Amino acid sequence: MNNVNGILLVVAAMAAFTLEDMFIKQLSVTVPTGQILLVLGVFCSASFLIMAVATRKRVFSRAAWSPLLLIRAGTEAISALTFITALSLVDLSTVAAVFQAMPLAVTMGAALFLGEQVGWRRWSAIVVGFAGVLMIIRPGMAGFQPEQLFVVASVISVAARDLITRRIDVNVASAVVSFQAYLALILAGAALLILSGTAPVPVAPGHWGPYAGAVLFGVLGYYGIVTAMRVGEASAVTPFRYTRLLFSILAGVLVFGERPDLATLAGAGLIIASGLYTFLRERRLARELAFASG
């Protein structure tokens, strides 16, 4: 029953993240990217600070502000900046499809930088997955949009964030780590506004709904995914993260009138298939290692 609850929470979290993306994309039509980052950073950091204080977590302990955690917050800021920029310039369904390569990037990064053993089967899956990415962005071809590279940059940044997360002190609460990440968004948004020379846009009546939706569903999505990982087994709930692509395609078609072409759908299929194979392979190897050591 715990795994069923975990799966339901993951699916709900992916739906929430999709709604967050949808509201951000709506805002990006009339609001500068830096301002969106700034507003999200202020309200989401406040939400996680309240969570941390309410649960009596040590927000300003020395361990919570180590250089490693500050670097992690920096990667979070870069990933948010590139992801929101991509949302403002590229179809939602395309952004979501390329973003599904993130688990593959984590596996590759773990092999290259953390010394984890990755066999030829998983390396082959990684190559197939990135071939799917190339099918979607099509560099050098007529359909190529340079703006799609912002999604690739976001994938790399998120993978770096997740690899760093494996090395942080387990005694630092998730709410504190999230608070730091959104503080970094405030700094990134302010810096982007200053460097670009873009003036903030006054909040119009039509902005309140998307702003509130982006903050609400961003916090709910994060809370849901963290709770899911604690309630259910990772091996059971992780594959359901790919439902985000389905939700994003539906949102893109129904809200923004997008029509993903066959190459995009085929590339997304390759990414998901290779990601699931990599995950199942890692799960099998973990069971074999546990059996051998037991």
Side-chain angles (χ1 to χ4, degrees), residues 98 127-139 141 144 148-149 152 263 267 271:
V98 176
V127 170
V128 170
F130 284 115
V133 172
L134 292 177
M135 287 180 64
I136 296 171
I137 63 177
R138 290 161 244 178
M141 300 178 66
F144 174 60
Q148 294 173 334
L149 296 178
V152 178
I271 294 169

Side-chain angles (χ1 to χ4, degrees), residues 183-201:
L183 279 183
L185 259 65
I186 296 174
L187 297 176
L192 183 60
L193 284 174
I194 294 170
L195 294 175
S196 64
T198 305
V201 174

